[in-house]
Amino acid sequence: MSLQNQRPSLYLLELMSALIYLIIIYFLHSPVILLAQTVNIILILIVLFLVNRFIKSSGHVAILAGAVTILVFIHGLLYLLGFVLVWVLMWSRLILKRHTFKEVVVGAIIGIFVAFLVALIGKWYN
């Protein structure tokens, strides 16, 4: 959704879907990485919902940056290479004129920060 005022309803729908998904995978005893990534996505969506009042930050970038950060914590430093994909996604959002530079940077910061907190609090790392 390109318009900032349309985003809250999308975030709420995504959040509800992710919560239902989390409940299902929890009861199916899914791998830790799946639980960590889902919790990460839920928290990123909450932060994006709150931040959206001030800036239309990139949810695409936030989710990917968060996912890569969780992978680094759980599987090691080799996954830092995944940040190349984050840069490519940031570039594509800029080229397509879906976001400004500030919006993609804020998205990346949100994703990395939330994932860092999820990894530390959940202790889902080695």
Side-chain angles (χ1 to χ4, degrees), residues 66-118:
V68 171
T69 303
I70 292 288
L71 287 172
V72 169
F73 270 96
I74 292 177
H75 293 299
L77 295 178
L78 180 61
Y79 283 84
L80 282 172
L81 292 172
F83 281 104
V84 171
L85 296 174
V86 176
W87 284 107
V88 170
L89 181 59
M90 291 171 74
W91 173 79
S92 74
R93 301 308 287 166
L94 292 170
I95 294 299
L96 294 171
K97 299 187 187 318
R98 298 290 188 206
H99 290 284
T100 65
F101 181 75
K102 181 179 173 182
E103 292 167 350
V104 295
V105 168
V106 168
I109 291 169
I110 288 170
I112 293 167
F113 180 73
V114 170
F116 186 78
L117 291 177
V118 167

Side-chain angles (χ1 to χ4, degrees), residues 3-4 9 13 39 45 49 52 54 58-59 62 64-65 69 71 77 85 107 109-110 113 117 121 124-125:
L3 298 177
Q4 192 170 357
S9 58
L13 177 64
V39 168
L45 287 170
F49 178 81
N52 185 64
F54 309 102
S58 175
L64 182 58
T69 303
L71 287 172
L77 295 178
L85 296 174
I109 291 169
I110 288 170
F113 180 73
L117 291 177
I121 292 168
W124 284 318
Y125 53 91

Side-chain angles (χ1 to χ4, degrees), residues 9-75:
S9 58
L10 177 64
Y11 289 139
L12 289 175
L13 177 64
E14 291 171 339
L15 184 58
M16 288 175 22
S17 300
L19 285 169
I20 292 167
Y21 180 71
L22 179 63
I23 292 166
I24 292 168
I25 65 171
Y26 176 78
F27 285 112
L28 292 175
H29 305 289
S30 293
V32 171
I33 185 73
L34 195 54
L35 292 168
Q37 291 290 14
T38 306
V39 168
N40 184 45
I41 288 170
I42 289 168
L43 294 176
I44 288 172
L45 287 170
I46 291 169
V47 172
L48 289 172
F49 178 81
L50 297 172
V51 169
N52 185 64
R53 299 182 71 209
F54 309 102
I55 185 172
K56 187 185 88 163
S57 59
S58 175
H60 290 92
V61 172
I63 297 293
L64 182 58
V68 171
T69 303
I70 292 288
L71 287 172
V72 169
F73 270 96
I74 292 177
H75 293 299

